[in-house]
Amino acid sequence: SRIMDFFTAGETLWTCTFENLPRFDANGVAYEYTVREVSVPGYETGPIHAIDPNHPELGFVLTNTKLTQLTVEKVWHGTEEETMPASVTVQLRYYTTDPNVRYNVPGNMQSTADLNAGNSWKYTFTNLPQYVEVDGKYVRCTYVAEEIFIGGDAVGEADFTVHYTDATVKEDPNFHGQATYRTTIVNVQNMEITGRKTWVDNGNAYGTRPENLTLTLYRSVAGGKEEVVNATPTWTKPAEGNVWTYTYSRLPETDKE
């Protein structure tokens, strides 16, 4: 065998030539030549094929695909361990130039994973192609994860508020010092606030009671400033009686920290 470790570098195409190779052995039998590549960290080497199987002197093609990976981690706030869902399901997605325009990964790739106490609420999607072909050009992908099920319930139906933090790890020591991606998903348990409005107007004897009321809900964390909460209560207004009740639902118990 002969080792070649010098290539003529181009932007996306590298070439090398093995020279002065004998065509026949001592008995006049033709040699069959092929090439193999030593694994390149962070790349996947595709199948090696001859440009023309009948003419190996025309050379071989080796395609290396740049890979990356995404680690997704789940964090819980405001949830007791005994009431925590057994698992959540996350979906792998990617975008190219606009973070708000996201795509599902192709069907030949792993697209979902379950996070649970058994894997410490963490999972890494590996062997992800760093580039996708768009209109004949290769475009860099950024990978993210989105939560789709919480304990078997769709995210929109589960009683949690979900926060996402997406980040790029530029030189990941766990991936050859190359770029990878990370998504942290924080689930905050929701709560309800219920109150009463009492009217002292002789049972609305004079028709002065309004049809509706406007309430403003405020919140703060310890030592912080109050802020207005964008929430609308649900009212219960009995036809008879002087007490209305209101309920604010799906309010996170804590902030994402």
Side-chain angles (χ1 to χ4, degrees), residues 9-256:
E11 183 176 343
T12 58
L13 180 66
W14 291 11
T15 62
C16 74
T17 301
F18 293 93
E19 298 178 332
N20 301 318
L21 301 176
R23 184 181 293 270
F24 303 97
D25 68 6
N27 297 316
V29 179
Y31 285 114
E32 293 183 4
Y33 288 97
T34 187
V35 293
R36 295 184 178 90
E37 182 179 58
V38 176
S39 177
V40 180
Y43 286 82
E44 176 185 55
T45 300
I48 299 170
H49 64 274
I51 295 174
D52 184 341
N54 296 318
H55 295 279
E57 71 275 7
L58 296 179
F60 301 85
V61 176
L62 299 81
T63 300
N64 286 21
T65 300
K66 181 71 182 76
L67 301 178
T68 186
Q69 60 187 34
L70 167 79
T71 298
V72 54
E73 183 176 11
K74 158 64 60 185
V75 177
W76 298 94
H77 287 323
T79 304
E80 300 295 332
E81 186 172 351
E82 58 270 17
T83 60
M84 187 179 297
S87 68
V88 301
T89 302
V90 296
Q91 181 178 18
L92 176 66
R93 306 194 76 195
Y94 74 92
Y95 65 86
T96 53
T97 56
D98 185 349
N100 297 312
V101 181
R102 299 184 173 187
Y103 305 94
N104 295 332
V105 298
N108 62 343
M109 294 175 57
Q110 179 186 354
S111 60
T112 63
D114 291 335
L115 310 184
N116 50 54
N119 56 22
S120 300
W121 302 97
K122 184 183 293 187
Y123 186 81
T124 299
F125 292 92
T126 59
N127 298 323
L128 307 178
Q130 183 68 83
Y131 296 87
V132 294
E133 190 171 2
V134 178
D135 298 329
K137 297 182 179 180
Y138 283 94
V139 181
R140 187 182 183 91
C141 296
T142 297
Y143 288 94
V144 295
E146 297 176 359
E147 195 169 49
I148 55 175
F149 292 106
I150 302 175
D153 295 326
V155 168
E157 299 174 359
D159 201 18
F160 290 88
T161 297
V162 183
H163 302 276
Y164 295 93
T165 301
D166 299 314
T168 299
V169 183
K170 293 185 177 181
E171 297 180 357
D172 191 340
N174 297 315
F175 191 72
H176 321 294
Q178 300 174 21
T180 62
Y181 302 97
R182 177 177 292 272
T183 295
T184 302
I185 305 174
V186 177
N187 281 15
V188 178
Q189 181 73 58
N190 288 333
M191 59 178 291
E192 288 186 350
I193 294 178
T194 299
R196 298 190 302 173
K197 170 67 178 178
T198 302
W199 298 95
V200 183
D201 56 5
N202 195 23
N204 197 28
Y206 305 102
T208 55
R209 189 179 300 179
E211 290 290 328
N212 298 293
L213 286 176
T214 299
L215 299 181
T216 301
L217 181 66
Y218 295 84
R219 70 182 177 197
S220 65
V221 296
K225 295 178 60 177
E226 282 190 346
E227 61 180 9
V228 175
V229 180
N230 183 19
T232 302
T234 300
W235 286 93
T236 300
K237 307 173 185 177
E240 303 292 333
N242 299 312
V243 178
W244 293 1
T245 60
Y246 62 86
T247 301
Y248 286 96
S249 301
R250 298 184 63 82
L251 299 175
E253 290 190 10
T254 72
D255 63 11
K256 66 179 182 179

